[in-house]
Amino acid sequence: MSKIRAGRVGEQIKKELSQLIQSGLKDPRVGFVTVTGVDVTNDLSLAKVYLSVFGDAEQVNGSLKAIEKANGFLRSELGKAIRLRHTPELVFKIDESVAYGSHIEKLLGEIGKHEES
């Protein structure tokens, strides 16, 4: 039963954080950031937030540092938006799956071109 609740809370955190990062943060280092997923522990004490950042490695690192610096602000605003007894601790991680998927697609395209010739 707690896994179902953790999943629902994770989806709500994902929705609220997406809005907060896009509209609430004024840091110029935050570029085009998308919240791709949130994993919440069963006791709702920790939330791993997976982010996808558009840009090169420098922009990715800058955006991640800016978001980590705003962790307290994001957590307090999240606590106001979601009514929980304790707001989960937020841990931000870069989601590499989008970049990995585009890399695989590029490789498959090269294989297709090589087989045609």
Side-chain angles (χ1 to χ4, degrees), residues 15-97:
K15 178 181 155 191
E16 295 294 333
L17 278 179
S18 294
Q19 292 175 350
L20 281 172
I21 289 173
Q22 293 301 321
S23 63
L25 294 182
K26 304 295 185 212
D27 197 327
R29 294 178 292 177
V30 177
F32 186 71
V33 178
T34 305
V35 179
T36 58
V38 176
D39 289 337
V40 182
T41 57
N42 287 339
D43 62 353
L44 304 177
S45 64
L46 179 71
K48 292 181 185 174
V49 181
Y50 295 97
L51 305 171
S52 175
V53 181
F54 184 74
D56 59 356
E58 184 179 323
Q59 290 172 332
V60 170
N61 289 334
S63 293
L64 185 62
K65 285 181 183 178
I67 290 172
E68 285 176 348
K69 187 171 177 84
N71 192 350
F73 168 75
L74 291 173
R75 189 172 176 207
S76 68
E77 291 297 315
L78 188 65
K80 293 174 189 173
I82 300 175
R83 300 304 245 176
L84 294 173
R85 183 172 291 170
H86 299 287
T87 306
E89 186 70 33
L90 302 175
V91 177
F92 296 101
K93 297 184 180 256
I94 297 296
D95 187 6
E96 301 290 340
S97 64

